[in-house]
Amino acid sequence: MNCSSPIDAAVLADYWLAALAESDEEAVEEHLLDCDPCSARLREIIALAEGLRHLAREGSLRMIVSDAFLRRAEEEGLRVREYAPPPGGSVQCTVTTEDDLLIGRLAADLIGASRVDLCICDERGVEQHRMPDIPVHLGANSVVFQESITYAKTLPDNRMIARLVTVDETGREGLLGEYTFNHTRSLPGPGTWQSA
Amino acid sequence: MMEVELDDAELVRKISSGTDREAETELYRRMAPRIRLYGLRHLRNEQAAEDLTQQVLITTLNALRACRLREPEKLASFVLGTCRMTALDLRRTAHRKERLLEQFGAELTAPVQPIMPRVDYDKLRRCVQNLKERERTVVVMTFYDERTSSDLAGFLDVSEANLRMIRHRAILRLRQCMGVAA
């Protein structure tokens, strides 16, 4: 069966999220009840949505999250381990088998920042990874950073430095804050980096 | 499956003309997966979606056998209307059913066959990690909570229309990365 007017996957995602206007939703439903290719595409969207929920619950993504997301995760029974080193300061941290999400709360004055990058640095302060133009609420006083807990659970003792920087239109950077995480491994396994 | 695929109107006429079991089987094959999707979207529960499918198909078959569908080409509209009525009814009785299940046990309910395509989580993780920061946050937080709330737009300091655009772009990129058609 072919479809002469296929519904865009993004519209189907909106339909799944109940984000369409009522009249649009009715039109989509009429079409879906008469169209196998679009129904199949909707099934792909639902599977994708389920996959994303799985990854969110697994805590394996390195990303910026909101407090509402953390509240919802806790309501769902997920165990959130959170550290909040002050700007320029450090914190002793670890992760256990019972933890589901690993969060770093980075306090910073974000007023006036048009673009904020989060740089992940090694113990010498050398940048290893950059998250450019992270989503921030400019009135907020912190950035809530989720580290991949599956990655953190494999780590030996180490020190990680997170750096929040503003970047202006010319590419010039300004330091908003630097935060040191002194990780001690509390899970069984190697306590130091293993050479390959 | 019927050798030559009938259109909906022909199917309705065949069922209405008597007890054409083959036509009825074809109606089930054609409509059941679509009705299940409607049920999943509105009831958010696979068992409830399965119940809805059964009830809508029974109602539809009874109506067709009794020649109550005056415009055979409007089968999809009839089924959609029946879906809406049945979903309302199921929502009303859901609480009562929960109590019965507590009393008699969940083993009384028939197993539901999975209908969704399988997702390669490792591949999806890599695809999500390759999104832009805003796209990743939007798409994960939206689908985690299955909401397109104004809270999220507020968190990101963007309008809801802008949030929708970011979400659409992210879905497009993810589908491309996962190797499914856009």
Side-chain angles (χ1 to χ4, degrees):
Chain A
M1 182 182 179
N2 291 319
C3 177
S4 56
S5 51
I7 303 175
D8 188 82
V11 175
L12 290 172
D14 285 349
Y15 169 67
W16 180 247
L17 292 164
L20 292 177
E22 203 177 323
S23 58
D24 292 337
E25 177 164 310
E26 280 176 17
V28 166
E29 285 181 339
E30 286 251 23
H31 184 95
L32 286 172
L33 274 169
D34 203 23
C35 181
D36 283 335
C38 290
S39 294
R41 203 172 307 113
L42 176 58
R43 275 194 287 276
E44 287 168 3
I45 291 290
I46 298 172
L48 180 69
E50 191 47 52
L52 290 166
R53 267 200 302 280
H54 172 86
L55 296 184
R57 287 194 195 107
E58 191 182 60
S60 62
L61 297 168
R62 186 178 259 183
M63 59 185 279
I64 304 302
V65 298
S66 69
D67 283 323
F69 172 82
L70 295 181
R71 274 196 301 276
R72 178 78 178 87
E74 283 180 326
E75 281 165 15
E76 216 194 3
L78 297 182
R79 185 164 157 174
V80 180
R81 180 175 286 270
E82 181 175 317
Y83 293 102
S90 64
V91 65
Q92 301 299 318
C93 53
T94 191
V95 62
T96 71
T97 47
E98 289 79 32
D99 299 324
D100 297 302
L101 302 180
L102 181 58
I103 300 298
R105 188 175 292 273
L106 314 176
D109 179 5
L110 301 167
I111 294 169
S114 58
R115 173 184 147 181
V116 177
D117 290 3
L118 173 58
C119 311
I120 307 297
C121 310
D122 65 15
E123 72 278 5
R124 293 163 299 160
V126 177
E127 187 176 316
Q128 302 294 312
H129 176 73
R130 178 175 286 235
M131 297 166 69
D133 196 17
I134 58 172
V136 291
H137 181 67
L138 298 182
N141 53 13
S142 64
V143 168
V144 185
F145 163 60
Q146 174 180 287
E147 176 57 290
S148 163
I149 202 160
T150 43
Y151 167 69
K153 283 178 178 177
T154 66
L155 287 178
D157 295 354
N158 77 98
R159 174 177 294 161
M160 182 195 91
I161 298 169
R163 208 174 273 151
L164 280 176
V165 296
T166 54
V167 183
D168 69 17
E169 306 78 45
T170 64
R172 199 173 50 198
E173 294 187 0
L175 183 67
L176 281 169
E178 192 172 277
Y179 317 82
T180 303
F181 295 85
N182 296 311
H183 171 76
T184 303
R185 185 179 177 85
S186 58
L187 294 168
T192 56
W193 291 108
Q194 301 291 295
S195 52
Chain B
M1 195 183 352
M2 305 191 95
E3 279 174 16
V4 179
E5 189 158 291
L6 302 172
D7 66 26
D8 283 354
E10 289 166 325
L11 199 60
V12 169
R13 285 188 198 100
K14 266 187 172 283
I15 295 170
S16 302
S17 66
T19 51
D20 188 331
R21 301 289 296 172
E22 210 181 340
E24 291 182 358
T25 305
E26 173 60 16
L27 177 83
Y28 183 90
R29 187 200 66 76
R30 192 177 296 184
M31 284 298 177
R34 302 175 190 169
I35 298 168
R36 263 191 213 107
L37 277 179
Y38 178 95
L40 280 174
R41 159 66 179 77
H42 288 274
L43 303 169
R44 289 308 208 239
N45 175 297
E46 290 198 4
Q47 185 59 54
E50 189 61 26
D51 290 348
L52 176 98
T53 306
Q54 298 300 328
Q55 290 189 32
V56 169
L57 282 168
I58 289 168
T59 307
T60 304
L61 271 178
N62 283 336
L64 299 188
R65 284 174 185 166
C67 302
R68 287 207 303 270
L69 183 57
R70 292 202 184 93
E71 296 174 87
E73 60 283 355
K74 292 199 172 166
L75 175 66
S77 298
F78 178 81
V79 172
L80 178 57
T82 310
C83 283
R84 286 182 184 140
M85 298 297 289
T86 310
L88 275 176
D89 199 39
L90 281 174
R91 278 201 203 95
R92 276 198 293 266
T93 57
H95 183 62
R96 183 171 160 264
K97 190 173 176 185
E98 271 171 27
R99 278 192 286 113
L100 287 172
L101 278 176
E102 275 172 24
Q103 198 177 343
F104 296 109
E107 67 273 12
L108 292 178
T109 57
V112 177
Q113 296 302 314
I115 57 164
M116 296 304 153
R118 282 183 173 278
V119 172
D120 178 342
Y121 289 136
D122 288 332
K123 189 173 183 184
L124 180 60
R125 189 180 303 109
R126 287 194 297 275
C127 291
V128 172
Q129 212 63 72
N130 283 335
L131 292 174
K132 290 180 179 172
E133 302 305 327
R134 278 166 200 275
E135 292 171 351
R136 186 182 316 129
T137 293
V138 165
V139 86
V140 172
M141 296 206 322
T142 300
F143 283 103
Y144 175 61
D145 216 7
E146 285 190 345
R147 270 198 298 221
T148 53
S149 66
S150 52
D151 287 354
L152 187 51
F155 167 67
L156 294 168
D157 260 339
V158 296
S159 68
E160 289 192 46
N162 202 344
L163 184 76
R164 190 165 183 253
M165 240 167 57
I166 297 171
R167 186 172 71 239
H168 285 190
R169 214 166 38 221
I171 289 166
L172 181 71
R173 281 187 213 272
L174 282 180
R175 283 173 60 80
Q176 281 169 343
C177 179
M178 294 296 287
V180 288

